[in-house]
Amino acid sequence: MARPTLPPTGIERTWPEHLLIVSKTDTRGIITYANEVFCEVAGYAPAELEGQSHNIIRHPDMPRCVFKLLWDTISAGEEIFAYVVNQAKTGDHYWVFAHVTPTFDAAGRIVGYHSSRRVPTKGAVAAAKALYADLLAIEARHASPKDGMAAAAAALGETLKARKLDYDEFVFSL
Ligand SMILES: Cc1cc2nc3c(=O)[nH]c(=O)nc-3n(C[C@H](O)[C@H](O)[C@H](O)COP(=O)(O)O)c2cc1C
């Protein structure tokens, strides 16, 4: 199944703060499990999600460089925290604070990934929205997506350097 074809509606969704949106993927990012909260918020039946690429809920406001950082980090065996705006089946959107971790087998090989998402604070969403708009604008200035992604990643690196924070400290400062 392709990504949702419906355009963004601009309508924001949220969910009860005590619940987590959870999904698991294989090593390529194909969804192997989505919990009930995921299905409710994203507006898909479990069978519509399982077997699909996780980009099924990708929102066009997300900069590519954030997903590159996510994949570089988790495929290196590390965990990552990130603010992400996702798109529901209807085109509505919802912001999450995600914690993505690799899953290892007994031999220490990565066999998949796991993401748990909390409701983010309004302040963090406002900060992430502004940052992602800047990064997206940088990406859009380049004809090649790869060049745009590299330029936006460099800009993010400069922001971290100016604030004397590593990525984790930065994310938790938002
Ligand atoms: C465990 C896990 C959870 C993910 N969760 C999301 C998510 O909630 N939203 C999203 O857009 N991408 C998520 N991704 C990243 C997607 O696999 C993909 O890289 C991203 O949607 C960008 O897609 P694109 O390369 O087709 O633009 C997740 C990946 C993994 C491994």
Side-chain angles (χ1 to χ4, degrees):
M1 188 197 299
R3 279 185 215 152
T5 46
L6 293 178
T9 60
I11 298 170
E12 182 160 8
R13 294 187 177 190
T14 190
W15 73 96
E17 276 186 18
H18 65 284
L19 298 177
L20 293 176
I21 293 179
V22 178
S23 63
K24 295 182 197 179
T25 72
D26 66 10
T27 52
R28 295 168 304 148
I30 304 296
I31 298 171
T32 54
Y33 169 77
N35 75 346
E36 216 178 309
V37 190
F38 190 127
C39 295
E40 280 218 3
V41 179
Y44 288 97
E48 291 181 288
L49 291 170
E50 283 157 27
Q52 302 304 321
S53 166
H54 218 309
N55 71 4
I56 187 170
I57 56 164
R58 191 199 199 293
H59 191 285
D61 286 352
M62 279 302 293
R64 284 170 179 273
C65 68
V66 174
F67 292 121
K68 176 163 191 324
L69 179 64
L70 181 147
W71 276 103
D72 285 351
T73 306
I74 62 177
S75 63
E78 306 288 334
E79 61 179 5
I80 189 166
F81 290 89
Y83 290 94
V84 179
V85 61
N86 283 318
Q87 183 158 305
K89 190 176 179 182
T90 57
D92 293 357
H93 65 275
Y94 57 99
W95 279 90
V96 304
F97 185 46
H99 179 215
V100 191
T101 59
T103 305
F104 301 96
D105 68 9
R109 286 180 298 244
I110 296 174
V111 291
Y113 301 104
H114 180 125
S115 180
S116 305
R117 307 153 182 100
R118 292 183 178 284
V119 176
T121 64
K122 286 196 168 33
V125 168
K129 214 185 249 182
L131 172 71
Y132 290 176
D134 288 347
L135 297 175
L136 205 62
I138 295 169
E139 291 183 348
R141 262 182 241 141
H142 295 259
S144 133
K146 207 174 159 196
D147 291 349
M149 194 164 65
L156 178 59
E158 286 304 316
T159 302
L160 300 185
K161 210 165 130 192
R163 299 199 194 174
K164 297 190 169 59
L165 297 173
D166 66 26
Y167 174 79
D168 279 349
E169 291 169 330
F170 175 69
V171 163
F172 280 93
S173 76
L174 290 176

